[in-house]
Amino acid sequence: MNYDDIIDLPRHVSKRHPPMPLSKRAAQFSPFAALTGYEEAVRESARLTLPPPNLAEDEQELLNHRLQQILASPTRKAAITYFVADAYKDGGRYETRTAVIKRLDTARRQLVLQDNTRIELIHIVRIQPV
């Protein structure tokens, strides 16, 4: 085929439809995700969680002794490592935070920090005075 008769003609511009912006034109060629949410599901299942603490009696006694020492101190400041349960799967993670202990709620078996954060006593794995 010979296109010599049309090769130098200007490109057609529609009078009815404005030209499509380049950003929308590029969207036509973007990859198609057949399984919506699949990547997130794979990432979630690959995310690791740790088991909750299971301390022996002597370890629990040591924690209780240290807690009593901290509560008797004038500053009541401590570095606390505790378990935080995961909202989506079994297990969780361990966090360490330094804070002032406001009080020990024996009825709920919780430690109440100065900012009113509550930590379950069974989730504490380490406590050190600061």
Side-chain angles (χ1 to χ4, degrees):
M1 287 198 149
N2 193 354
Y3 296 105
D4 290 336
D5 56 336
I6 62 170
I7 196 88
D8 292 323
L9 292 177
R11 185 176 72 83
H12 172 72
V13 178
S14 173
K15 293 178 182 167
R16 288 179 132 184
H17 305 289
M20 184 183 287
L22 286 177
S23 60
K24 286 191 176 182
R25 245 189 285 171
Q28 297 181 69
F29 304 104
S30 64
F32 172 68
L35 300 173
T36 305
Y38 178 73
E39 290 296 322
E40 291 82 21
V42 168
R43 264 194 304 278
E44 176 61 26
S45 63
R47 188 173 56 87
L48 298 177
T49 57
L50 300 170
N54 187 12
L55 300 178
E57 277 188 48
D58 59 333
E59 292 172 313
Q60 289 175 349
E61 286 178 27
L62 179 62
L63 283 176
N64 188 37
H65 179 70
R66 282 195 183 141
L67 179 57
Q68 294 306 320
Q69 284 178 331
I70 293 166
L71 290 172
S73 76
T75 61
R76 294 182 135 196
K77 194 170 186 179
I80 307 163
T81 302
Y82 59 99
F83 178 76
V84 179
D86 193 275
Y88 301 107
K89 56 198 304 190
D90 289 337
R93 67 185 189 285
Y94 288 89
E95 287 186 6
T96 300
R97 118 178 235 201
T98 301
V100 175
I101 299 171
K102 186 175 180 180
R103 66 185 172 89
L104 174 63
D105 186 346
T106 54
R108 293 187 176 142
R109 300 194 39 80
Q110 294 176 337
L111 202 57
V112 183
L113 305 182
Q114 193 170 29
D115 64 356
N116 289 323
T117 301
R118 293 177 169 267
I119 301 172
E120 301 284 333
L121 291 178
I122 60 169
H123 290 163
I124 297 174
V125 293
R126 198 172 119 215
I127 188 164
Q128 297 281 31
V130 178

